[in-house]
Amino acid sequence: MKAAAIRAQARIEMLLTVRRGESLLVTLVIPIGILVFFSSVDAVNTTYKEPVDFLVPGVLALAVMSSAMVSLGIATGYERRYGVLKRLGSTPLSRAGLLSAKTLNVLALEVLQATLIVLTGLALGWTVTGGIVLAVVLLLVGTVAFAGIGMLLAGTLRAEANLAVANGLFLVLLFLGGMAYPLAKLPDAIETFAKALPAAALSETVRAAVTPGVGFPTGELVVLIVWAIAAPLAAIRWFRWEE
């Protein structure tokens, strides 16, 4: 019964996500748009043979950030404000079931995003050269990290503040995440700071995983794992079910 309730709630979560125009903009339109635009202009200018080889892994990381942090966090923040979380928590679904349903929704959305991004990348000339399994594992770790951040914001801020902070953080991490613009082109101090953030850690490790001949950034992997542990723990500690 509980498994059926979780699946039903997950379907509802997905329908609500699809109906939110701003959610579709952040999770689908912006990542695909960045991939297509920066693949067609000489703005990336990296050591990669083609810009798309640099961009696809970064946009995959961007997709995880948009789904797990922005879409999940903003939706949960408004559900908390209107008392939805409190009411659902008292049903047979339970709070644990609600969180499980939200997790399934995020994963399903990420599968859709990854499929569209990879297909677009292939159409633009990207070649899959291996490391897919490792990349998937890294993206899952990144999902945990960004979901933790999104839930922490949703559970501690008022809905309007959460909306502003989540979108602002998305833009900052997009710039500092090495997703569409190489970290090496940033000033040294900013580059060092950026590498301590989960966005750069995820994009750099995924890029290394799927690109032969690129040394794997162990330091960034450590940063990503730390965020994947610390952010959910912080969310568990400070999340408030009522505003």
Side-chain angles (χ1 to χ4, degrees):
M1 177 65 179
K2 186 173 181 179
I6 291 174
R7 288 194 298 270
Q9 183 63 30
R11 286 194 294 270
I12 293 173
E13 295 283 342
M14 178 58 73
L15 289 174
L16 292 175
T17 299
V18 172
R19 290 176 181 176
R20 288 191 291 265
E22 71 283 359
S23 176
L24 292 179
L25 176 66
V26 172
T27 57
L28 294 177
V29 178
I30 290 180
I32 297 295
I34 287 175
L35 177 58
V36 173
F37 176 77
F38 282 98
S39 294
S40 61
V41 299
D42 189 21
V44 177
N45 191 22
T46 68
T47 56
Y48 290 79
K49 183 178 179 180
E50 298 292 341
V52 70
D53 296 330
F54 173 86
L55 289 167
V56 169
V59 173
L60 286 171
L62 174 63
V64 166
M65 181 172 71
S66 66
S67 295
M69 183 181 75
V70 181
S71 181
L72 173 65
I74 291 176
T76 304
Y78 277 100
E79 289 171 355
R80 173 172 167 262
R81 175 182 179 178
Y82 295 124
V84 175
L85 297 184
K86 181 181 178 180
R87 290 194 295 273
L88 285 175
S90 62
T91 67
L93 178 65
S94 78
R95 290 177 175 177
L98 176 61
L99 293 177
S100 298
K102 286 183 174 294
T103 300
L104 290 176
N105 176 51
V106 169
L107 292 176
L109 183 57
E110 288 180 352
V111 169
L112 174 61
Q113 288 176 298
T115 301
L116 293 176
I117 290 168
V118 169
L119 290 176
T120 303
L122 292 173
L124 293 171
W126 182 57
T127 302
V128 182
T129 53
I132 300 300
V133 174
L134 177 57
V136 170
V137 172
L138 292 168
L139 291 171
L140 289 175
V141 175
T143 298
V144 175
F146 282 111
I149 295 172
M151 294 299 284
L152 176 62
L153 296 176
T156 55
L157 301 176
R158 295 182 64 85
E160 295 82 359
N162 174 47
L163 174 65
V165 171
N167 284 317
L169 189 58
F170 175 79
L171 294 176
V172 170
L173 292 178
L174 171 60
F175 175 70
L176 296 178
M179 296 169 174
Y181 189 80
L183 292 177
K185 293 185 176 297
L186 298 174
D188 291 344
I190 297 179
E191 179 184 359
T192 300
F193 173 71
K195 287 183 176 180
L197 301 176
L202 180 58
S203 64
E204 292 290 289
T205 52
V206 172
R207 188 173 292 118
V210 298
T211 307
V214 175
F216 192 82
T218 306
E220 281 82 346
L221 176 61
V222 172
V223 169
L224 182 62
I225 293 173
V226 168
W227 277 99
I229 295 173
L233 288 177
I236 292 171
R237 171 64 178 81
W238 286 294
F239 190 94
R240 299 191 302 272
W241 291 86
E242 299 178 54
E243 189 172 289

